[in-house]
Amino acid sequence: MEHITLLLAIVVVTALVFDFTNGFHDTANAMATTISTGALKPKTAVAMSAVLNLIGAFLSVEVAKTISGGIVNENGLRTEVIFAALVGAILWNLLTWLVGLPSSSSHALFGGLIGAAVMSAGWSSINGGTVVTKVLLPAIAAPLVAGLAAMLATRLTYRINRNVTDPNQLKSTAKGYRAGQIASAGLVSLAHGTNDAQKTMGIITLALVTGGVLAPGSNPPMWVIVSAGVAIALGTYLGGWRIIRTMGSGLTDLKPPQGFAAQTSAATVILASSHLGFSLSTTQSCSGAVMGAGLGRKGGVVRWSTATRMFVAWGLTLPAAGLVGAGAEFLTKQGPWGITTTAILLVGGSFAIWLASRRQPVDHTNVNDTAATDDEPRGVVTTAIAAVQPPPIGTHPTDLMTTIPAPAAAPDDTARPSATV
C-alpha cells in the first residue's frame, strides 16, 4: 500500500508537470496573433492569458469526465499506466516546443494514454467509439470549421471597411480592432483553461480511481481542479515563445482585423466543444483559424512549408506519443526498478531538450523577430515575377547607364577628337 501511495503521488506530480508544459506549449493559441500585431506587449499578453486560463479551469468538468471515464476502461487499469502515458505526452510536448511546432498537447496525452493502456492490457482496454467520436472526428473538424469561419469573418471585415479612406477614421478603426483582438484573445485563454486544464484533471482523477482513492465515475475533487488550474496558468505565464513566433508570423502575416477574426472564430469552436464534452485540440483550432484569416485577406498568403511541417507534426503526435507511452509502460511493468528507470529517462530527456533550446534562445525580447520565418523558399512563379518586375513609376533607372564609343576618327582627320555619348 505504501508503494501504491508513493507511486500515486509521483503520478499526480507528473500530471501537473504535463499541465505546466501544456500551458507554455499552448500559450501561442491565445496570444500569438495579439503579440505579432502589437496589440499587447509580450509579457502583458502572457500574464493576461495565465489569469484567464486559471479562471477557465473552474468553468466545467465535462472534458475531464471524458478523459477519466471515456477513452480507456477504468476497471483493471494500473496506476503505472497513467505514469507511462504522461511520460510520452511530456516528451512529445517538449520536442515539438524545441522545434517551434504548434502540435497538440491534447493528442500527445491521448496518444500516450492509448499506447500505455494497449501495452498493459491490450486493445480491449480502449473504448474505440469514444476515441473516434470525441477525439479523432473533432481533430479533423475543428481546424476546418475554425479556418472557414475565420476566412469568412476576415473577408466580411475587409468588405465592410473597403470604403473607409479618411486617415483619422482608419486610425480609429485600427484601434478598435486592436481592442477587439485583446478581448478575443482573452476569450481564447478562457476557453483554453476550460478545455485543456480539464484534461489534466481527468488524468489525475483516473489515477485516483486506479489507486482506489475515488470510485469509478467520480468528478474531479476540488484540490485537483485548483492544482490543475494553477499549473497551467504558471506554464502559460512562462510563455512558449518559440511556438508564439511560429503562430504569430511563421504561418502568415496578420493585421489586427485578421487577428480579431481568427481568435474569435477559434474561441467559439473551443467553447462549443467544451460544452459538448469534445476534447478537441485548441492548437489545431487556433492554427486553422490563423491560416483561414491569412487566406481571407486579399493579397494574404500562407507559408505552406511551415504549414506542411505543422500538419506532419499533427499526424505524428498520436502515434509518436503512443509509442513512447508504450515503451515507458513496458519498463514500468518490470517493477520498481523499471519505474525508477522511466523517471530517470523522463528527467534526462527533458533536461537534454532544454539544453538544446539554449543554443538559439527565443524569449519576449525577440519573439517578433521575423528573420527566422522569412526563409520560405520562393516558388518558380514568384521568382520569375520578381526577375521581370519593372522599376517603380516615377523613378529614373540610373543603373541602366552605359558608355557608347563614337566612331573612330579617320587617320587624316586630326581635328575631330574621339567622343563618347
Side-chain angles (χ1 to χ4, degrees):
M1 188 66 182
E2 290 181 0
H3 170 68
I4 294 297
T5 301
L6 176 61
L7 178 60
L8 190 57
I10 293 173
V11 170
V12 170
V13 171
T14 307
L16 294 177
V17 170
F18 166 77
D19 203 24
F20 180 82
T21 66
N22 189 352
F24 75 74
H25 194 280
D26 291 1
T27 307
N29 296 341
M31 291 301 170
T33 58
T34 305
I35 292 171
S36 67
T37 60
L40 282 176
K41 293 181 178 179
K43 294 295 286 184
T44 304
V46 296
M48 170 184 165
S49 183
V51 172
L52 290 171
N53 265 279
L54 178 60
I55 294 172
F58 292 89
L59 297 184
S60 172
V61 294
E62 291 303 316
V63 175
K65 289 164 67 177
T66 297
I67 301 272
S68 63
I71 292 179
V72 297
N73 296 319
E74 297 172 333
N75 296 329
L77 194 66
R78 298 162 53 248
T79 306
E80 290 89 335
V81 174
I82 312 299
F83 178 57
L86 291 168
V87 170
I90 291 172
L91 289 177
W92 182 256
N93 261 2
L94 292 176
L95 183 61
T96 51
W97 162 77
L98 176 65
V99 297
L101 286 177
S103 69
S104 171
S105 297
S106 306
H107 290 175
L109 180 60
F110 300 150
L113 185 59
I114 291 171
V118 170
M119 176 59 71
S120 174
W123 288 102
S124 61
S125 62
I126 306 300
N127 295 324
T130 301
V131 172
V132 171
T133 58
K134 292 202 172 185
V135 177
L136 296 181
L137 291 181
I140 297 172
L144 294 177
V145 172
L148 181 61
M151 183 175 67
L152 295 176
T154 300
R155 290 185 176 179
L156 178 62
T157 297
Y158 278 101
R159 180 176 293 274
I160 292 173
N161 294 292
R162 67 183 183 278
N163 295 323
V164 178
T165 58
D166 180 67
N168 292 328
Q169 192 173 357
L170 287 172
K171 187 176 181 180
S172 176
T173 301
K175 288 183 178 179
Y177 277 120
R178 283 189 170 88
Q181 245 194 303
I182 295 172
S184 60
L187 190 60
V188 173
S189 296
L190 195 69
H192 182 259
T194 302
N195 198 283
D196 278 40
Q198 288 188 57
K199 294 161 188 171
T200 301
M201 297 178 204
I203 282 293
I204 295 177
T205 303
L206 183 59
L208 294 175
V209 169
T210 61
V213 178
L214 293 178
S218 299
N219 286 335
M222 180 55 65
W223 69 266
V224 172
I225 297 174
V226 172
S227 58
V230 170
I232 201 169
L234 288 175
T236 301
Y237 181 72
L238 181 65
W241 303 111
R242 293 172 179 272
I243 300 176
I244 289 176
R245 172 185 282 181
T246 300
M247 287 276 285
S249 56
L251 280 174
T252 185
D253 298 317
L254 294 178
K255 306 297 182 184
Q258 294 170 278
F260 173 69
Q263 290 171 319
T264 303
S265 302
T268 302
V269 171
I270 296 168
L271 287 173
S273 68
S274 297
H275 177 70
L276 296 173
F278 291 147
S279 184
L280 57 73
S281 166
T282 57
T283 300
Q284 292 180 0
S285 300
C286 292
S287 299
V290 168
M291 286 188 283
L295 295 173
R297 176 170 64 89
K298 186 177 181 180
V301 296
V302 171
R303 295 183 177 89
W304 291 110
S305 65
T306 301
T308 300
R309 292 194 298 270
M310 185 177 67
F311 294 151
V312 171
W314 290 0
L316 290 177
T317 295
L318 269 171
L323 287 174
V324 177
E329 170 58 15
F330 177 78
L331 285 176
T332 61
K333 288 171 66 174
Q334 311 307 315
W337 73 266
I339 296 174
T340 303
T341 302
T342 303
I344 292 173
L345 290 175
L346 172 62
V347 174
S350 301
F351 184 68
I353 293 173
W354 180 82
L355 284 180
S357 73
R358 295 300 87 199
R359 296 175 182 175
Q360 292 182 328
V362 180
D363 56 26
H364 67 281
T365 62
N366 63 355
V367 66
N368 282 331
D369 182 4
T370 58
T373 60
D374 287 340
D375 57 353
E376 174 100 5
R378 303 174 78 181
V380 174
V381 176
T382 304
T383 304
I385 292 174
V388 301
Q389 184 176 6
I393 298 175
T395 63
H396 299 285
T398 57
D399 57 337
L400 299 180
M401 294 179 65
T402 187
T403 301
I404 304 175
D412 58 347
D413 189 0
T414 58
R416 188 175 70 179
S418 60
T420 59
V421 177

